[in-house]
Amino acid sequence: MSPKREIAFTLNGVPTRASVSPELSALALIREVLGLTGTKLGCGEGECGACTILVDGRSVNSCLMFALDCEGRSLVTIEGLAADPLGARIEQAFVEAGAVQCGFCTPGMVVQAHNLLTAHPHPTREQIRRGIEGNLCRCTGYFKIVEAIERAAGAQE
Amino acid sequence: MAEIERVLAPASLDEAAEALAAGEATLLAGGTDLMPASHAGKVRFAPMLINLRRIAELSGIAVEDGELRIGTLVTIAELLGDEAVRERCPILAEAADHFASPQIRNAATIGGNLCNASPAGDMLVPLLAAGARVELASKPDGTLVRRVLPLEEFLVGPGRTRRRPDELLATVRVPAAAPDAIWRFFKSGTRPALDISAVSIGLLARKAGNALHEVRIALGAVAPTVVRARAAEATLEGRVLNPETMEAAACAARDEVHPISDVRASAWYRKELIHNMLRRMLSDVAET
Ligand SMILES: Cc1cc2nc3c(=O)[nH]c(=O)nc-3n(C[C@H](O)[C@H](O)[C@H](O)COP(=O)(O)OP(=O)(O)OC[C@H]3O[C@@H](n4cnc5c(N)ncnc54)[C@H](O)[C@@H]3O)c2cc1C
Ligand code: FES
Ligand code: FES
């Protein structure tokens, strides 16, 4: 086995340490090593967005990120957004708009919506569609997800 | 999969080049190519893994001597949001807008795209059209040296470049577009952005009246590397755009490429796309 490397980072605001092998993904670190299973493994190839997390405030596919690259960074997962006002608003809007069916894509969608609304507090419908183009949903047909994000943006004042 | 014995995260280019001089290493930038390749068992990791992401001097965009100097670690999202890039190399910003998804754009670097050297690499097409050069750094005998290569020479084949194992890509240099420059970028795909292109086309030229000068056309996914369409360029050089010259250029481009058939498209379809899309781009230019 490749040697493990000790890394330190913050996860949802909490200073965290972990011992990771070089090939491990950030997603496996979060789910399997640290036991936070809100972040989902869909494709494992960067296509579906179910594994979306925020790294230093930007959304990335955690399945494509090397765990060792978490060193010194600030990671926020869906669990961390529950305590965040914008995150809570997006979750509420998803419930109200009926944007959740099986729910598998939802954590990634919510994190990505957070990233979008942070950059564009009042996005156009087109900006919302483009903002979630890296997130697949097999249930809803996207319409209600776009509506939920619009609703969350409207509730922002 | 080979064993990674050591992981380094150097803080400076000098340190990284020194580590590279000491032995074979796998370089890590955004990881968006490396991670899927590693999952698929397609990477032969060297004993040393060097994470480049902490090297501040390899990030950031500057303008020097009229050139854009883009650090290898600049992400596609950063290119897209950068004022200097939009002004001086708008075709690059346009291609960045067609690149994968927001999440990938936040992680993927320009240098990773160039070093991965995919014939469908979306940064390669606009950069080749823009006449970009790459700056490689190494430390062969104790001092840091840099050499600059035209992108066209740097790219050798799919996944193959002229980078020596002891070198790393440091900066991408892009000449600023002339004030009278026109540009168009086209990428085909069934989903708006996340698809790997079946073909892509970059067109850059200066336009005086309705005539084109210094025409540069780059084509992606029709050859082992991104290539210039020199025959098509020659038919257009100095000519006024009209139905005959546009058709001649589109035919020349179609006839000078020899694409392969694969899961994304047949060779015939790729040739037709090149013809039809170049034709459309040119008439669009003629109308503006
Ligand atoms: C779902 C998905 C969609 C994608 N869509 C697109 C797309 O639309 N268009 C497109 O062009 N690509 C696309 N890609 C491919 C990939 O995202 C890009 O090629 C990206 O630019 C690679 O950059 P990176 O920083 O992630 O590279 P990494 O994976 O970190 O590195 C890629 C290669 O370059 C080498 N390398 C990196 N930096 C240096 C350096 N400074 N010096 C020397 N060698 C270096 C690495 O060793 C490795 O071999 C996609 C990938 C995925 C997973
Ligand atoms: S699991 Fe990461 S994008 Fe699908
Ligand atoms: S709700 Fe089932 S995948 Fe989106």
Side-chain angles (χ1 to χ4, degrees), chain B residues 179-193:
Chain B
D180 56 355
I182 58 94
W183 55 271
R184 292 291 183 279
F185 176 77
F186 164 79
K187 171 182 175 175
S188 78
T190 45
R191 274 163 77 195

Side-chain angles (χ1 to χ4, degrees), chain B residues 94-192:
Chain B
E94 175 74 13
D97 197 32
H98 286 81
F99 198 107
S101 62
Q103 291 96 319
I104 304 257
R105 290 197 286 274
N106 281 337
T109 65
I110 188 170
N113 199 245
L114 295 189
C115 291
N116 197 53
S118 157
D122 278 328
M123 294 293 99
L124 279 61
V125 169
L127 287 173
L128 192 63
R133 296 179 300 159
V134 296
E135 186 183 302
L136 298 159
S138 63
K139 216 173 165 184
D141 34 41
T143 32
L144 191 70
V145 293
R146 298 167 193 257
R147 65 178 177 129
V148 177
L149 276 183
L151 180 59
E152 205 162 2
E153 271 175 47
F154 177 69
L155 301 169
V156 180
R160 287 176 36 237
T161 67
R162 288 242 144 71
R163 182 179 75 84
R164 297 191 314 259
D166 70 326
E167 285 180 315
L168 68 152
L169 178 61
T171 313
V172 184
R173 300 185 180 191
V174 194
D180 56 355
I182 58 94
W183 55 271
R184 292 291 183 279
F185 176 77
F186 164 79
K187 171 182 175 175
S188 78
T190 45
R191 274 163 77 195

